[in-house]
Amino acid sequence: MKALEDILSGLNEKQRQAVERTEGPVMVVAGAGSGKTRVLTFRIAYLLSKGVDPFGILSLTFTNKAAREMKDRIAQLVGQGSARSLWMGTFHSIFARILRFESSYLGFPPNFTIYDTDDSKSLMKSIVKAHNLDPKVYMESMILSRISNAKNNLISYEAYQQNAELINQDKSGGRPEIGFLYEWYQKKLFQSAAMDFDDLLFNINVLFRDYPEILLKYQKKFEYIMVDEYQDTNFSQYYIVKKLAANNENVCVVGDDAQSIYSFRGANIENILNFKKDYPDLFTVKLEQNYRSTQTIVKAANDVIHQNKGQIFKEVWTQNPEGEKIRLLRTSSDKEEGSMVSHQIFQDHMNEKAHLDSFAVLYRTNAQSRSIEEGLRRLNLPYRIFGGISFYKRKEVKDFLAYFRLTINHADEESLKRVINFPPRGIGKTSFEKVIIAGSKLGLPVWEVLKQCESLNLGISAATVAKFQEFIIMIESFRARLSTVNAYDMAQEIGKSSGVFSVFYQDKTPEGVSKFENIEELMNGLKEFVEAENAGNQSENPAIKTLDQYMQDIALLTDADEKEKDTRPKVSLMTIHQAKGLEFPFVYIVGVEENLFPSMMSLHSRSELEEERRLFYVALTRAEKRVYISYAETRFKWGKLDMCEPSRFIDEIDEKYLDRPVKPRRTEPTYMGGGIRIKARTMEPPAKTVYRNVNSSDSTPEKPIAQNGSTDNPDLITEGMKVKHQRFGVGLVLQIEGQGQNKKATVKFADGEKQLILKFARLQIIS
């Protein structure tokens, strides 16, 4: 374990204050790029080095990935043993762990299932159908959003049904049965021994409210409490922290009100703005030195965020170089925007010799990715879209996991529905629906009805009843070995005995092969889980890592926690919400137009507009070296061509930090929009300018070299020619593809073949 002074060395004055102030309430207001993770990590290491019991430290994060990274860093400072004993993880994972210990107080078994969004939607859909409600009116996603909001505000279904304001809102919205559906949803969850994500926090509050002795137990246990990203907490999370910290008030919250962008998930910025009201003797530290971005980016971001009234004022600064101005890209259409941004990425990639994973394109809505994707594909630039279908949400993976869940918890109705006839075993939909209906009438879990099927005389054929019994025997045989076999071997047995492996292996279509590969990848993950957990365990009988432990481990994974199979460098495409916490040397913020960013839906109140401004602030501060902001003058919306204007956020940046495009000019080429011939407005965009930084250590950007200064006309270059490139040397043109601005050449140089966009390549014809 490192000495105290060794741990504190390397911290700046403000960071050191945040680390050393361990007693009493502390709020660390951490500006973008100011090293808040470093402060949290060193603060915990500092506590441990002073002899604090690691089991008495509670550290709450918003992703498991962040928790793992912090634990790894702490282990390097104080040793693996202490780091492993910390209570560190997401709100949901930590309190799911406590609920499993104390589940009997709430009437749940310790092996309760945690339902994800898809499970909840499936359950709500079946409830709506069972009560003959119109699914077009009572859409499951909308109903669940309403229920989630109630739970985040600690409103039970009983309280919901007694709340006149909520009832009137539902009636005026034409959905008076939401309170009724909330009740049925909770009863079906309880019957299935399951909780959804929101229940994990709601039920912890119920546990602490109804059982003061349990609350006192955990108040005494957690001597020190730390919360990361406190600005993103909702009322339920806020209340849990307040209750746990009430005993000794050794609570430290870290966050940045300027990065509070999740109100649509229930996050309440007031939690951080009003923290001092809960703790009058609060010690506040502001981390204002940015270690990530250039001075230009930091000052421009300050210009924007200082427009907000609701904030904890801070003046973020940096000792980094001044850097380049923020470049504005103006395009005539969203299609041209995609093309220009893609060409600029290609140009920066070549000129700066930067890996493709140094580039990020950020947008306000997922739909904006289409034109960017098309532009990148034309240039053969690989990219990765964040927020796609999660690995654990793919149907084949969920089907296999459903077997695991049912093995662990027989009452899990949603898992039973998934696997009762998968792979096909001749159990008809009508027969199984009779079982479900009987379960609702008798108030029994479907599994129990299935076991008593023969004696209940449900009008199901003897052959089907026999198949039910075979299925039950198979699942119960898995359950009997659950605690004696490791997770990987148990999954192998389930996959083989159930026929899951066989059904996917036999499907040789491209889709079938992909599904089998995903099942294989899941098995790889199980193997890693078993081996990683026992790594370093020198005992003769290492603890068996069982399947139920594995399911607890993955039940609360977020998209940010998942590993990507293909690790080749790619351009990153994502919404700004998904970019929070990330950083890239080159950032492109696209679609920065009024009614798109800020969103038209966010212009009804100052608080909504200020959140949009915080979102823009987050986008700017993801960049380390260079920022591009693009906007289109026209954009198709629902098939109609709309005229657009630049966002107000651009005007909030001081002109001295901006590099605006030259004045637009009219051009002859025209395109058809909505059946009317429209004159295209274009200009000489920065994408047609090559910026070469000869000396990367020089913070002053070089003057642009105009593209029309090339020595040869690209149209004269043909296949078979010998050409010279400024960096790659002499090469032979093997192939010419495309036309106009997209014309590219495959050239064989001494160090291999290169694909070059001719208008940027500046090739010299030799022969």
Side-chain angles (χ1 to χ4, degrees):
M1 181 179 290
K2 289 191 176 183
L4 289 176
E5 197 53 44
D6 290 338
I7 289 174
L8 294 172
S9 64
L11 298 175
N12 66 37
E13 181 186 349
K14 293 294 185 181
Q15 290 174 335
R16 186 163 180 152
Q17 286 179 22
V19 168
E20 289 183 303
R21 185 64 172 251
T22 59
E23 307 304 306
V26 177
M27 179 168 68
V28 182
V29 182
S34 62
K36 72 174 180 64
T37 303
R38 181 179 175 85
V39 166
L40 274 171
T41 302
F42 278 65
R43 195 173 198 274
I44 293 170
Y46 183 75
L47 285 168
L48 293 172
S49 66
K50 288 178 66 178
V52 174
D53 183 355
F55 288 98
I57 297 175
L58 172 63
S59 180
L60 298 167
T61 64
F62 271 80
T63 68
N64 290 298
K65 180 182 178 183
R68 284 195 299 269
E69 289 175 352
M70 285 176 62
K71 270 192 178 181
D72 290 342
R73 292 191 198 181
I74 292 167
Q76 293 172 11
L77 293 170
V78 299
Q80 189 66 250
S82 294
R84 188 181 287 119
S85 300
L86 293 166
W87 279 67
M88 178 180 285
T90 65
F91 275 89
H92 293 90
S93 64
I94 290 293
F95 295 117
R97 183 176 170 187
I98 291 176
L99 283 172
R100 292 196 188 279
F101 289 137
E102 316 295 350
S103 59
S104 60
Y105 288 91
L106 300 175
F108 283 86
N111 62 344
F112 64 82
T113 300
I114 300 172
Y115 276 11
D116 64 16
T117 304
D118 290 340
D119 298 321
S120 294
K121 284 183 177 180
S122 177
L123 175 56
M124 181 55 72
K125 189 175 182 178
S126 66
I127 294 171
V128 169
K129 181 180 179 181
H131 290 92
N132 298 313
L133 295 172
D134 187 347
K136 294 179 181 178
V137 174
Y138 291 94
M139 296 175 289
E140 57 266 22
S141 56
M142 185 278 296
I143 303 300
L144 289 169
S145 175
R146 189 84 168 145
I147 292 172
S148 175
N149 187 60
K151 289 181 182 179
N152 287 335
N153 286 287
L154 303 182
I155 301 172
S156 65
Y157 72 80
E158 295 96 338
Y160 192 103
Q161 292 169 348
Q162 297 299 316
N163 189 307
E165 183 180 352
L166 293 174
I167 291 170
N168 288 333
Q169 287 174 4
D170 292 341
K171 286 181 178 178
S172 63
R175 301 177 182 90
E177 303 298 337
I178 291 180
F180 171 77
L181 292 172
Y182 184 4
E183 178 181 0
W184 266 92
Y185 176 70
Q186 292 305 122
K187 288 181 175 179
K188 291 294 285 185
L189 283 172
F190 187 77
Q191 193 178 78
S192 295
M195 299 184 196
D196 65 16
F197 280 17
D198 295 318
D199 283 327
L200 297 174
L201 304 184
F202 182 90
N203 286 336
I204 274 288
N205 275 293
V206 171
L207 182 70
F208 289 166
R209 180 197 67 195
D210 294 349
Y211 300 95
E213 68 277 16
I214 300 297
L215 173 60
L216 182 61
K217 169 184 171 181
Y218 287 100
Q219 284 176 336
K220 289 182 176 180
K221 176 178 179 59
F222 299 129
E223 187 179 356
Y224 294 92
I225 299 171
M226 273 156 279
V227 186
D228 191 14
E229 305 286 11
Y230 190 68
Q231 77 281 348
D232 293 335
T233 54
N234 59 33
F235 179 72
S236 181
Q237 292 163 329
Y238 156 81
Y239 208 54
I240 293 169
V241 172
K242 186 177 180 182
K243 282 183 177 179
L244 286 174
N247 197 44
N248 55 32
E249 294 194 347
N250 289 335
V251 57
C252 173
V253 301
V254 182
D256 181 8
D257 58 292
Q259 297 185 66
S260 178
I261 59 174
Y262 292 117
S263 65
F264 66 96
R265 293 183 188 168
N268 187 354
I269 192 174
E270 299 300 321
N271 291 347
I272 192 168
L273 294 180
N274 296 328
F275 193 65
K276 189 172 179 62
K277 291 183 179 179
D278 290 328
Y279 305 97
D281 57 342
L282 178 69
F283 179 76
T284 302
V285 182
K286 294 181 181 179
L287 305 182
E288 296 171 300
Q289 182 175 0
N290 179 294
Y291 291 93
R292 176 188 301 155
S293 309
T294 65
Q295 290 182 31
T296 296
I297 294 170
V298 168
K299 290 174 181 177
N302 281 343
D303 283 350
V304 172
I305 203 61
H306 286 169
Q307 304 294 320
N308 275 4
K309 292 183 179 179
Q311 63 174 299
I312 301 170
F313 185 84
K314 56 188 173 299
E315 189 71 43
V316 180
W317 58 278
T318 183
Q319 291 182 336
N320 291 340
E322 181 180 350
E324 303 173 20
K325 289 185 177 182
I326 293 171
R327 302 184 193 176
L328 298 184
L329 306 180
R330 178 179 54 215
T331 63
S332 62
S333 66
D334 49 348
K335 182 177 181 180
E336 186 184 335
E337 180 182 51
S339 177
M340 182 183 288
V341 167
S342 301
H343 278 91
Q344 188 66 61
I345 290 173
F346 178 84
Q347 190 172 318
D348 287 345
H349 168 54
M350 300 296 288
N351 292 344
E352 304 287 343
K353 298 182 181 179
H355 290 297
L356 288 175
D357 50 15
S358 298
F359 299 88
V361 182
L362 310 182
Y363 33 77
R364 180 64 181 84
T365 65
N366 277 306
Q368 292 171 253
S369 73
R370 182 189 58 79
S371 62
I372 307 297
E373 289 184 70
E374 289 176 359
L376 292 172
R377 281 200 296 266
R378 288 192 189 100
L379 299 181
N380 288 327
L381 290 174
Y383 60 88
R384 175 193 174 192
I385 296 182
F386 284 64
I389 298 177
S390 163
F391 175 79
Y392 292 101
K393 290 183 179 179
R394 291 167 187 166
K395 184 180 184 304
E396 61 275 14
V397 174
K398 283 185 70 71
D399 286 343
F400 195 21
L401 291 177
Y403 271 103
F404 301 173
R405 288 173 25 167
L406 188 63
T407 298
I408 296 163
N409 173 18
H410 293 342
D412 183 352
E413 185 175 322
E414 290 305 307
S415 293
L416 180 56
K417 287 178 184 177
R418 274 187 171 272
V419 302
I420 188 67
N421 199 41
F422 173 76
R425 49 179 59 90
I427 295 175
K429 184 178 179 181
T430 303
S431 297
F432 188 60
E433 283 182 347
K434 289 179 180 179
V435 175
I436 294 174
I437 292 168
S440 296
K441 288 181 178 178
L442 297 170
L444 292 173
V446 176
W447 180 266
E448 292 302 319
V449 178
L450 212 60
K451 291 176 71 174
Q452 302 174 38
C453 190
E454 189 171 9
S455 61
L456 290 172
N457 296 318
L458 300 178
I460 298 172
S461 70
T464 300
V465 170
K467 289 168 183 173
F468 283 159
Q469 295 307 311
E470 289 175 10
F471 178 79
I472 289 169
I473 291 169
M474 178 181 69
I475 298 298
E476 289 186 337
S477 71
F478 298 154
R479 176 66 178 271
R481 290 168 49 76
L482 192 60
S483 61
T484 60
V485 178
N486 72 47
Y488 178 80
D489 291 340
M490 191 74 243
Q492 281 275 23
E493 183 176 328
I494 292 172
K496 290 176 181 176
S497 300
S498 66
V500 168
F501 287 170
S502 178
V503 76
F504 286 124
Y505 180 76
Q506 291 172 7
D507 186 350
K508 299 302 182 183
T509 64
E511 294 80 5
V513 171
S514 176
K515 290 177 180 180
F516 185 75
E517 288 173 347
N518 286 332
I519 296 298
E520 181 183 23
E521 185 62 26
L522 181 63
M523 294 302 297
N524 293 340
L526 279 152
K527 194 70 172 178
E528 285 178 10
F529 171 77
V530 170
E531 293 183 351
E533 289 293 336
N534 286 323
N537 191 334
Q538 303 300 317
S539 64
E540 291 184 8
N541 299 302
I544 295 174
K545 306 310 297 181
T546 57
L547 193 63
D548 54 333
Q549 292 171 313
Y550 171 76
M551 291 303 292
Q552 289 181 38
D553 198 53
I554 69 163
L556 297 163
L557 286 180
T558 66
D559 291 347
D561 298 320
E562 294 187 25
K563 296 178 181 178
E564 186 186 9
K565 286 174 66 177
D566 187 351
T567 57
R568 293 175 300 172
K570 296 184 182 75
V571 179
S572 297
L573 274 59
M574 68 190 84
T575 65
I576 302 166
H577 285 98
Q578 291 160 337
K580 188 168 175 291
L582 304 178
E583 55 188 40
F584 303 89
F586 302 87
V587 168
Y588 297 75
I589 312 171
V590 301
V592 186
E593 301 145 24
E594 282 295 299
N595 298 324
L596 180 56
F597 195 16
S599 167
M600 184 187 300
M601 304 299 292
S602 302
L603 301 178
H604 304 298
S605 67
R606 180 169 63 83
S607 62
E608 291 174 336
L609 178 60
E610 290 197 349
E611 175 148 339
E612 288 288 294
R613 187 175 283 115
R614 292 194 295 269
L615 194 60
F616 186 62
Y617 175 83
V618 166
L620 283 173
T621 54
R622 297 313 91 202
E624 299 171 357
K625 179 179 179 180
R626 187 180 299 165
V627 176
Y628 295 86
I629 297 174
S630 73
Y631 59 91
E633 295 177 325
T634 62
R635 189 175 295 271
F636 276 101
K637 295 177 182 177
W638 296 100
K640 178 186 175 185
L641 189 68
D642 275 8
M643 302 302 294
C644 308
E645 60 178 286
S647 169
R648 69 189 71 190
F649 298 151
I650 296 175
D651 293 332
E652 292 171 357
I653 300 173
D654 194 306
E655 282 295 321
K656 64 186 176 184
Y657 304 129
L658 297 176
D659 181 5
R660 288 188 179 271
V662 297
K663 186 177 180 180
R665 61 178 173 81
R666 294 280 182 179
T667 57
E668 282 308 310
T670 59
Y671 62 92
M672 298 300 291
I676 302 172
R677 185 168 293 275
I678 302 171
K679 186 75 72 172
R681 289 212 300 158
T682 64
M683 70 286 155
E684 297 297 334
K688 292 187 178 179
T689 301
V690 178
Y691 289 83
R692 287 207 312 276
N693 204 345
V694 177
N695 183 359
S696 59
S697 63
D698 186 359
S699 63
T700 305
E702 290 226 287
K703 291 183 178 180
I705 301 172
Q707 195 66 33
N708 58 18
S710 60
T711 55
D712 296 288
N713 184 346
D715 291 335
L716 298 178
I717 296 174
T718 59
E719 294 177 3
M721 275 187 174
K722 187 178 286 187
V723 294
K724 184 177 181 180
H725 187 273
Q726 188 173 352
R727 184 158 78 249
F728 303 131
V730 177
L732 180 67
V733 179
L734 301 178
Q735 186 178 9
I736 300 289
E737 298 177 272
Q739 294 180 342
Q741 293 188 352
N742 296 323
K743 195 172 185 180
K744 58 188 176 184
T746 302
V747 185
K748 185 175 182 180
F749 295 101
D751 61 345
E753 293 181 9
K754 309 287 183 184
Q755 259 197 348
L756 306 173
I757 301 296
L758 288 178
K759 75 169 187 174
F760 296 131
R762 297 174 57 82
L763 295 176
Q764 233 178 330
I765 298 173
I766 296 177
S767 62

